[in-house]
Structures are given as C-alpha cells and as structure tokens.
Amino acid sequence: MQFTDILGVIGGLSLFLYGMKMMSDGLALVAGSRLKEILEKLTRNRYIGVLVGIVIAAIIQSSNATTVMAVGFVNAGLMDLSQAVGVIIGAKVGTTMTGQLLTLKADQIAPLVAMIGVAMIMFFKRKKVNHIGQVIGGLGILFLGMNMMSSSMSPLKDVVWFRNLIIQMENPLFGILVGLIFTALIQSSSASVGILQAMAAQNVLTLGQAAPLVYGMNVGACASAVLSSIGGKKDAKRASLLAILFSSIGAIIFVILGVFVPFPEWVASLTPDNPMRQVANLHTLFNLFSMLMLLPVSNLLVKLSKKLVSGEDVEEDAPKLVHIDEHAFGAASIGIAQVDAEVSRMHCLARNNLEMAGQALLNQDLSNLDRIIQNEETVDFLNKEITKCLVRINRLELTANDAQRLSSMYHVVSDIERVGDHAQNIADYSATCKERNVSFSMEGKTELANLMQHTLKILDDAYKYFMKQNLHMMEDIENQEQTIDDLVDEYSQNHIDRLNANQCDADSGLIFSEVLTDLERVSDHALNIAEAAVYHD
C-alpha cells in the first residue's frame, strides 16, 4: 500500500464525515423545532416512541443526535424514562438507513449532486433553500468521500499485517472491542459502518469478519449520549445507560446465537453479489431483531437502569440550574427544550412568590417570607444564567422560527424577573404592616384580594399562551389586562374616598396605593409575555 493510498483513505474519510455532518445539520435545520414538538407530543406510548425514534434518526441520519436529544429532554423533565426508552431503541433502527443509502450507485452523479447543493447554498438568499442545499451538497460530498475511500482501500488486502488483523476479527470479543473503541472516537456508527462498507466493496474483509465490528460499533455509538449526560440529573444518566444496555445486550445475544445460527452467512445470501448492501443489511437486521427482542421487556431495562444508577438527585439550597445541561447544547432543539423547561420553572417561582406575598399581606402571616426571599434569589440567578444560555444557543445555526423563539425568550425572562421584583415589594409591604401594626379596611382587603386573583389569572394565561398551550387566548388576555387597569382606577378612587371619610389612615393608604401599582405592573409584564409568543403556520 503506497503513501498516496493512505492519503486517499484519510481524505475520503474526511469528506465522508464532513458530508454526513453537513447533510445531518441541513436536515435538522429543515425540520427545525418540529423535531422537539414531535418528541414531546408523540412519545407517551413507548411503541409510538419507537416509530418516532426511527423516523427522526432516519431524517437527521444520526442515532447519536436522536439519543442525545432524548437524554436532553429527560434532563429537562420533558420526557420520562419509559418514553425515552422507545425513542432510543427506535433511533438505533432509524440510523441504519444511512448504510442503505450508501448502497445506491451514485458514483457517477455524486459530483453533480454536490455542485447542485453548493449552488443552492451560494446563490440563493432564502434560508430554507440554503438548508435544502446543505442536505443535497452533503449527500454529494458523502458519496464522493465514500468513492475515494473505497478506491484507496483496495491495496489493503495485500498488506500482511492488516490481513492478520482482519483474521483476528473472527474472534467476536476482539471484533466488538475494536468496533466499540473506533466508533466511540469518531462518535458515529453510520460513519463506522460506512467504512466497513467501503472495505467490503474491495473484498478487504468478509461479512463474517465485519459482523462483530458492527455489534461493537452500535455500543460505541452510545459515547455521545454518555457525554451529554455528564453533569445532568440521575434520569439523564439512566437514559444514556438505556442506550448502552440496548446495544450491549443485543451484541451479547447475537454473539451467542452466532454459535448456533450462521447469521452473517444468511444475510450475505440475500444479496450475494453486493458486499456493500450485505454490510448495510447486517446493520439494519441486527438493530431490527434487537428491537423486536428487547422492546417487549423495555420496562425491565428501565428498572435495571434505575438499579445501576441508584438514588435521587440531591436538592441544594443555593440557586442552580435544574433542567439545563450545557454539555448537550450541540443541538439547538435540545438547548431550546431545556431553556423552555428552566423558564417555566422561573415563571412558577415568580408566580408562587406573588401568591404567597398576597397572602402574607392580607392575612398578616409572615411564615413564608424566608421562602419568598430564597425564591427571589433563585429567580434573579435564573435570569442571568438563562440569558447566558440563550447567548450560547444563539451562536448555533438556527431556523428562522427558532431564532425568533430565542429572541422572544430574552424579553420573557426579563419580564418574569420583574414580576418577581414586584412580588418581593408586596412581601416587604406585609413585613412593614406587621412592624407598624398597619391594617386595611374590610373594603380595602376585599379589593386587594380581588385584584390579586385577576393578576394571578392573567399571569397564568399569558404564560400558557406563550408556551402554545392555548392558541386562542390573546384577545382574552388583552381584555383581562384592561379589566385590571380599570379596577386599579376604580380602587384608587375608592381609596381616596375612604381617606376623605377617615375610614383608613395615611400609612395603610400609602401601602394600599403601592400594592395597586405593583399589581398593575405585573399585569403589564404578563401582557408582554403573551405578546412575545411567536406562532407560525
């Protein structure tokens, strides 16, 4: 084997990996945030979750990205382990479509396909066209790399040390170990299997020698999921472990079956004249049969993952991010999903603070003041940390919809932080009332309680609208905000009348007016949150 052949293999592999990444990124951008919505809505049933995993992995040409996405959603609390296991199993099957794609005879037209894709990227301004061009260009480059790599590998079969190494692959444990390590390094089972296909096309190795490598490559592909779970919650670690368990148990079963059943020989007999398709079929059938065997006992896999990663997440008093794991920010959809969950947590803290502050003011019960202060510190912390995360995600390549979503999130986080400030103001007023022995008239208490209920409702409805939980509320939210403005005007006049009639003193009157102002401002921020919602047809 000459030095030029080595360069050819390296260059072909580089083009292959770059083409695959380019195509995968383009497909993810074309699909956009719809992948996130599909995963959230269609994974309640594990069998449907399998179909979702197959489809998404086939679309974005990566079980790694799909599994990492599932792990990220588990960490964000958007998906539980029973939902994630179906997606993870399905992703392993879906990613085998890449190998099937590589068996197409596209050597002659690959340069033309690459040129069309590059032209769509360079000469069109529309982002959608650019993203489709990225898919087409990536596909062409992938085939060019495959062809270059395959041609350069032909002399390998005459290299003595390499022939001896391939003979060692007949030992299943050695083959699995080599496949595992190699795929863990390049973090793509599709690319690893593509290399095997290139070698098979040049008769460098037989399907029997390739089989253990394929089994090991499936296990090695779990490295990305493991890395994405580092620093995450226990369930995120369990989700990554589910991917390892599925691939490892499948490999063990097939190694044992291989003693009694000539599985590689049977696969080879399906397409005796097409070695590349033989490897692709082996990869597909291995994952398909593993799915059929392990999906019915997936609940046992979930229980096993909980035993292997035992215990619960330790809650700390210091403010911290609960749903965001920045290790998983390689994919925009994961980052946005985790930020959504963290912003929802921030909203709940600010909203609960407002309710507790109102109860403290009206009932003179200061038992929750420490908790309000602690929650407010967390809200302020989240405001800063979520904003930093939004900046990081914004550096990734985003669809137009995702970019708008992130832009609106900046404003929403700021509005929620201001709601927390107004809740803290009301809590401080309750402490002042207790300290100075200030009380409100019955009419004043009734008015404040009514206004507080209206304010809590608009805050809840506005956030539901922003999170797309109810698409027909905007007009109602605007009416609610106007009602609160009218009530504030009415109650302010009533308050002046009571002062003139000596029904309340100056101290209680001043605090009453300040609380009205704070609640009116909260309703303004709630309307801002609703108006930040971005909807697309």
PDB file of all heavy atoms in Angstrom, residues 402-416:
ATOM      1  N   ASP A 402     -36.780  29.155  15.193  1.00  0.00           N
ATOM      2  CA  ASP A 402     -36.031  29.016  16.439  1.00  0.00           C
ATOM      3  C   ASP A 402     -35.344  30.323  16.815  1.00  0.00           C
ATOM      4  O   ASP A 402     -35.260  30.676  17.996  1.00  0.00           O
ATOM      5  CB  ASP A 402     -34.997  27.899  16.313  1.00  0.00           C
ATOM      6  CG  ASP A 402     -35.630  26.512  16.336  1.00  0.00           C
ATOM      7  OD1 ASP A 402     -36.794  26.410  16.758  1.00  0.00           O
ATOM      8  OD2 ASP A 402     -34.966  25.544  15.907  1.00  0.00           O
ATOM      9  N   ALA A 403     -34.836  31.049  15.826  1.00  0.00           N
ATOM     10  CA  ALA A 403     -34.186  32.335  16.103  1.00  0.00           C
ATOM     11  C   ALA A 403     -35.180  33.323  16.697  1.00  0.00           C
ATOM     12  O   ALA A 403     -34.864  34.052  17.655  1.00  0.00           O
ATOM     13  CB  ALA A 403     -33.577  32.896  14.818  1.00  0.00           C
ATOM     14  N   GLN A 404     -36.406  33.346  16.155  1.00  0.00           N
ATOM     15  CA  GLN A 404     -37.434  34.227  16.703  1.00  0.00           C
ATOM     16  C   GLN A 404     -37.829  33.805  18.111  1.00  0.00           C
ATOM     17  O   GLN A 404     -38.072  34.641  18.984  1.00  0.00           O
ATOM     18  CB  GLN A 404     -38.666  34.224  15.796  1.00  0.00           C
ATOM     19  CG  GLN A 404     -38.487  35.038  14.519  1.00  0.00           C
ATOM     20  CD  GLN A 404     -39.778  35.067  13.706  1.00  0.00           C
ATOM     21  OE1 GLN A 404     -40.167  34.088  13.084  1.00  0.00           O
ATOM     22  NE2 GLN A 404     -40.438  36.193  13.735  1.00  0.00           N
ATOM     23  N   ARG A 405     -37.902  32.499  18.317  1.00  0.00           N
ATOM     24  CA  ARG A 405     -38.252  31.975  19.636  1.00  0.00           C
ATOM     25  C   ARG A 405     -37.222  32.416  20.672  1.00  0.00           C
ATOM     26  O   ARG A 405     -37.574  32.842  21.781  1.00  0.00           O
ATOM     27  CB  ARG A 405     -38.313  30.448  19.568  1.00  0.00           C
ATOM     28  CG  ARG A 405     -38.601  29.752  20.890  1.00  0.00           C
ATOM     29  CD  ARG A 405     -40.031  29.877  21.274  1.00  0.00           C
ATOM     30  NE  ARG A 405     -40.337  29.092  22.461  1.00  0.00           N
ATOM     31  CZ  ARG A 405     -41.487  29.161  23.090  1.00  0.00           C
ATOM     32  NH1 ARG A 405     -42.437  29.946  22.662  1.00  0.00           N
ATOM     33  NH2 ARG A 405     -41.703  28.432  24.167  1.00  0.00           N
ATOM     34  N   LEU A 406     -35.950  32.311  20.327  1.00  0.00           N
ATOM     35  CA  LEU A 406     -34.894  32.721  21.252  1.00  0.00           C
ATOM     36  C   LEU A 406     -34.954  34.216  21.529  1.00  0.00           C
ATOM     37  O   LEU A 406     -34.777  34.662  22.667  1.00  0.00           O
ATOM     38  CB  LEU A 406     -33.525  32.363  20.676  1.00  0.00           C
ATOM     39  CG  LEU A 406     -33.099  30.901  20.734  1.00  0.00           C
ATOM     40  CD1 LEU A 406     -31.689  30.751  20.191  1.00  0.00           C
ATOM     41  CD2 LEU A 406     -33.160  30.368  22.148  1.00  0.00           C
ATOM     42  N   SER A 407     -35.209  34.999  20.485  1.00  0.00           N
ATOM     43  CA  SER A 407     -35.296  36.445  20.658  1.00  0.00           C
ATOM     44  C   SER A 407     -36.413  36.811  21.625  1.00  0.00           C
ATOM     45  O   SER A 407     -36.246  37.665  22.504  1.00  0.00           O
ATOM     46  CB  SER A 407     -35.532  37.111  19.298  1.00  0.00           C
ATOM     47  OG  SER A 407     -35.670  38.502  19.438  1.00  0.00           O
ATOM     48  N   SER A 408     -37.555  36.145  21.479  1.00  0.00           N
ATOM     49  CA  SER A 408     -38.679  36.437  22.371  1.00  0.00           C
ATOM     50  C   SER A 408     -38.383  35.985  23.795  1.00  0.00           C
ATOM     51  O   SER A 408     -38.836  36.599  24.771  1.00  0.00           O
ATOM     52  CB  SER A 408     -39.953  35.757  21.856  1.00  0.00           C
ATOM     53  OG  SER A 408     -39.839  34.350  21.913  1.00  0.00           O
ATOM     54  N   MET A 409     -37.569  34.905  23.922  1.00  0.00           N
ATOM     55  CA  MET A 409     -37.266  34.375  25.247  1.00  0.00           C
ATOM     56  C   MET A 409     -36.464  35.373  26.088  1.00  0.00           C
ATOM     57  O   MET A 409     -36.641  35.452  27.314  1.00  0.00           O
ATOM     58  CB  MET A 409     -36.481  33.073  25.108  1.00  0.00           C
ATOM     59  CG  MET A 409     -36.490  32.197  26.339  1.00  0.00           C
ATOM     60  SD  MET A 409     -38.053  31.362  26.605  1.00  0.00           S
ATOM     61  CE  MET A 409     -37.917  30.017  25.458  1.00  0.00           C
ATOM     62  N   TYR A 410     -35.588  36.140  25.438  1.00  0.00           N
ATOM     63  CA  TYR A 410     -34.850  37.180  26.170  1.00  0.00           C
ATOM     64  C   TYR A 410     -35.810  38.098  26.909  1.00  0.00           C
ATOM     65  O   TYR A 410     -35.626  38.422  28.089  1.00  0.00           O
ATOM     66  CB  TYR A 410     -34.006  38.015  25.201  1.00  0.00           C
ATOM     67  CG  TYR A 410     -32.754  37.366  24.678  1.00  0.00           C
ATOM     68  CD1 TYR A 410     -32.659  36.958  23.355  1.00  0.00           C
ATOM     69  CD2 TYR A 410     -31.640  37.178  25.500  1.00  0.00           C
ATOM     70  CE1 TYR A 410     -31.507  36.372  22.861  1.00  0.00           C
ATOM     71  CE2 TYR A 410     -30.488  36.596  25.011  1.00  0.00           C
ATOM     72  CZ  TYR A 410     -30.418  36.192  23.690  1.00  0.00           C
ATOM     73  OH  TYR A 410     -29.277  35.613  23.214  1.00  0.00           O
ATOM     74  N   HIS A 411     -36.849  38.556  26.195  1.00  0.00           N
ATOM     75  CA  HIS A 411     -37.801  39.506  26.778  1.00  0.00           C
ATOM     76  C   HIS A 411     -38.647  38.843  27.859  1.00  0.00           C
ATOM     77  O   HIS A 411     -38.942  39.454  28.893  1.00  0.00           O
ATOM     78  CB  HIS A 411     -38.702  40.072  25.679  1.00  0.00           C
ATOM     79  CG  HIS A 411     -37.941  40.767  24.582  1.00  0.00           C
ATOM     80  ND1 HIS A 411     -37.271  41.960  24.785  1.00  0.00           N
ATOM     81  CD2 HIS A 411     -37.720  40.433  23.282  1.00  0.00           C
ATOM     82  CE1 HIS A 411     -36.687  42.338  23.664  1.00  0.00           C
ATOM     83  NE2 HIS A 411     -36.941  41.423  22.738  1.00  0.00           N
ATOM     84  N   VAL A 412     -39.049  37.589  27.625  1.00  0.00           N
ATOM     85  CA  VAL A 412     -39.893  36.887  28.591  1.00  0.00           C
ATOM     86  C   VAL A 412     -39.150  36.692  29.912  1.00  0.00           C
ATOM     87  O   VAL A 412     -39.716  36.910  30.989  1.00  0.00           O
ATOM     88  CB  VAL A 412     -40.353  35.529  28.015  1.00  0.00           C
ATOM     89  CG1 VAL A 412     -41.004  34.674  29.097  1.00  0.00           C
ATOM     90  CG2 VAL A 412     -41.333  35.759  26.874  1.00  0.00           C
ATOM     91  N   VAL A 413     -37.899  36.297  29.840  1.00  0.00           N
ATOM     92  CA  VAL A 413     -37.098  36.094  31.056  1.00  0.00           C
ATOM     93  C   VAL A 413     -37.007  37.396  31.850  1.00  0.00           C
ATOM     94  O   VAL A 413     -37.131  37.406  33.082  1.00  0.00           O
ATOM     95  CB  VAL A 413     -35.686  35.571  30.685  1.00  0.00           C
ATOM     96  CG1 VAL A 413     -34.762  35.620  31.887  1.00  0.00           C
ATOM     97  CG2 VAL A 413     -35.775  34.155  30.143  1.00  0.00           C
ATOM     98  N   SER A 414     -36.797  38.493  31.145  1.00  0.00           N
ATOM     99  CA  SER A 414     -36.727  39.798  31.811  1.00  0.00           C
ATOM    100  C   SER A 414     -38.055  40.155  32.459  1.00  0.00           C
ATOM    101  O   SER A 414     -38.092  40.664  33.599  1.00  0.00           O
ATOM    102  CB  SER A 414     -36.330  40.868  30.787  1.00  0.00           C
ATOM    103  OG  SER A 414     -36.317  42.142  31.372  1.00  0.00           O
ATOM    104  N   ASP A 415     -39.164  39.883  31.765  1.00  0.00           N
ATOM    105  CA  ASP A 415     -40.483  40.192  32.331  1.00  0.00           C
ATOM    106  C   ASP A 415     -40.768  39.349  33.564  1.00  0.00           C
ATOM    107  O   ASP A 415     -41.330  39.850  34.553  1.00  0.00           O
ATOM    108  CB  ASP A 415     -41.575  39.962  31.271  1.00  0.00           C
ATOM    109  CG  ASP A 415     -41.695  41.124  30.295  1.00  0.00           C
ATOM    110  OD1 ASP A 415     -41.866  42.263  30.755  1.00  0.00           O
ATOM    111  OD2 ASP A 415     -41.613  40.900  29.077  1.00  0.00           O
ATOM    112  N   ILE A 416     -40.397  38.083  33.528  1.00  0.00           N
ATOM    113  CA  ILE A 416     -40.617  37.225  34.701  1.00  0.00           C
ATOM    114  C   ILE A 416     -39.795  37.716  35.885  1.00  0.00           C
ATOM    115  O   ILE A 416     -40.265  37.723  37.035  1.00  0.00           O
ATOM    116  CB  ILE A 416     -40.265  35.758  34.363  1.00  0.00           C
ATOM    117  CG1 ILE A 416     -41.246  35.205  33.330  1.00  0.00           C
ATOM    118  CG2 ILE A 416     -40.295  34.897  35.623  1.00  0.00           C
ATOM    119  CD1 ILE A 416     -40.886  33.818  32.817  1.00  0.00           C
TER     120      ILE A 416
END
